[in-house]
Amino acid sequence: QVQLVESGGGSVQAGGSLKLSCEVSGFPYSGSSYCVAWFREAPGKKREGLAHIRGTDATYQDFVRGRFTISRDDDANRVHLEIDSLKPEDTATYYCAAGWCSSGSWCFPRGCYEYNYWGQGTQVTVSS
């Protein structure tokens, strides 16, 4: 059974940084056989994709490029999202999701993917 568990959220001041982690378990995988992405959902807003990674190939939505970095540590079964220069508008629940890199409705600059497995989310609150 595939499970994703996010951690690393918290309350920070604007301008600070956070490193979110997504622990993936139960996935019969190799480094490039599945895709992982990070999303966020702010109160009253739709869930939006932030960054996607397959193997070491990462893509970012234009509005996060330069501040967000996605990476994966296959030895630790983790995918990280580092966020720099946090802004109050980054306040949201952050989710990781994984899938078999099949075509779907979540679009990133180099493709649209389906994510079959989702974590429960971790809250990030940024104060000014």
Side-chain angles (χ1 to χ4, degrees):
Q1 183 179 356
V2 177
Q3 288 189 317
L4 287 79
V5 179
E6 302 92 339
S7 61
S11 297
V12 296
Q13 294 272 338
S17 299
L18 278 177
K19 184 175 183 178
L20 309 181
S21 293
C22 174
E23 182 175 6
V24 182
S25 61
F27 223 114
Y29 66 91
S30 64
S32 60
S33 66
Y34 70 99
C35 294
V36 179
W38 280 93
F39 297 79
R40 71 184 179 188
E41 187 170 339
K45 295 187 177 181
K46 292 183 178 180
R47 189 170 297 189
E48 59 184 359
L50 304 172
H52 159 98
I53 190 166
R54 179 178 185 173
T56 58
D57 184 29
T59 58
Y60 300 88
Q61 301 291 24
D62 287 344
F63 65 86
V64 304
R65 192 174 292 116
R67 289 200 301 126
F68 289 43
T69 304
I70 190 171
S71 61
R72 63 194 299 164
D73 180 350
D74 288 330
D75 290 337
N77 299 341
R78 289 180 180 269
V79 176
H80 305 290
L81 183 71
E82 295 183 71
I83 312 173
D84 297 320
S85 303
L86 279 156
K87 305 175 183 179
E89 51 263 44
D90 293 321
T91 294
T93 300
Y94 284 70
Y95 300 89
C96 64
W100 294 106
C101 307
S102 55
S103 296
S105 59
W106 294 102
C107 293
F108 291 89
R110 291 204 293 270
C112 298
Y113 304 95
E114 179 182 15
Y115 298 94
N116 309 95
Y117 309 99
W118 292 78
Q120 293 300 306
T122 185
Q123 177 67 34
V124 172
T125 303
V126 184
S127 58
S128 57

